[in-house]
């Protein structure tokens, strides 16, 4: 399990990642812009969002590029990477 503090410290040490804890969306009822906090949310190379939740990190969609980054992060934390519930094996 990765603590939020450990995750933020790692993000600060990685030049490809930037902490971006504010989300933005449209309220479906009022159609107004709304902002909300997403603790530990990170942007990778200005293209991919990586989320932190309950000691785990993850993302929506798993391209080869983001999968490689998640494997790099998993190695650092001695963690596992999963895609659709299946563990991705890496050396």
């Amino acid at each position: 399990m990765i603590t939020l503090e450990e995750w933020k410290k790692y993000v600060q040490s990685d030049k490809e990642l930037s902490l971006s804890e504010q989300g933005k969306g449209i309220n479906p009822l009022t159609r107004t812009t709304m902002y909300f906090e997403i603790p530990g949310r990170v942007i990778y190379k200005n293209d991919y969002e990586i989320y932190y939740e309950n000691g785990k990190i993850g993302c929506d969609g798993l391209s080869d590029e983001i999968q490689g980054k998640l494997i790099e992060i998993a190695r650092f934390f001695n963690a596992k990477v999963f895609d659709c519930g299946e563990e991705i094996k890496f050396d």
Side-chain angles (χ1 to χ4, degrees):
M1 189 156 134
I2 304 165
T3 68
L4 183 56
E5 293 75 27
E6 288 172 323
W7 174 234
K8 287 182 177 183
K9 186 176 180 180
Y10 178 84
V11 169
Q12 289 176 342
S13 73
D14 189 320
K15 294 179 185 198
E16 295 181 314
L17 302 175
S18 62
L19 196 61
S20 179
E21 297 184 296
Q22 186 176 48
K24 177 179 163 184
I26 302 293
N27 183 316
L29 300 174
T30 65
R31 307 302 299 159
T32 59
T33 301
M34 45 189 253
Y35 298 91
F36 43 92
E37 293 296 313
I38 308 172
R41 177 178 170 257
V42 166
I43 304 298
Y44 169 58
K45 290 190 173 180
N46 294 322
D47 290 328
Y48 302 98
E49 293 177 306
I50 301 174
Y51 297 98
Y52 173 90
E53 185 176 353
N54 298 321
K56 299 176 183 176
I57 60 168
C59 63
D60 296 330
L62 201 58
S63 69
D64 289 342
E65 185 174 14
I66 191 65
Q67 179 177 319
K69 187 63 175 180
L70 292 176
I71 289 170
E72 177 186 318
I73 294 167
R75 282 188 176 125
F76 179 84
F77 286 107
N78 194 27
K80 298 177 182 176
V81 177
F82 291 87
D83 182 18
C84 298
E86 297 283 323
E87 183 178 348
I88 298 171
K89 301 290 186 185
F90 55 90
D91 297 323

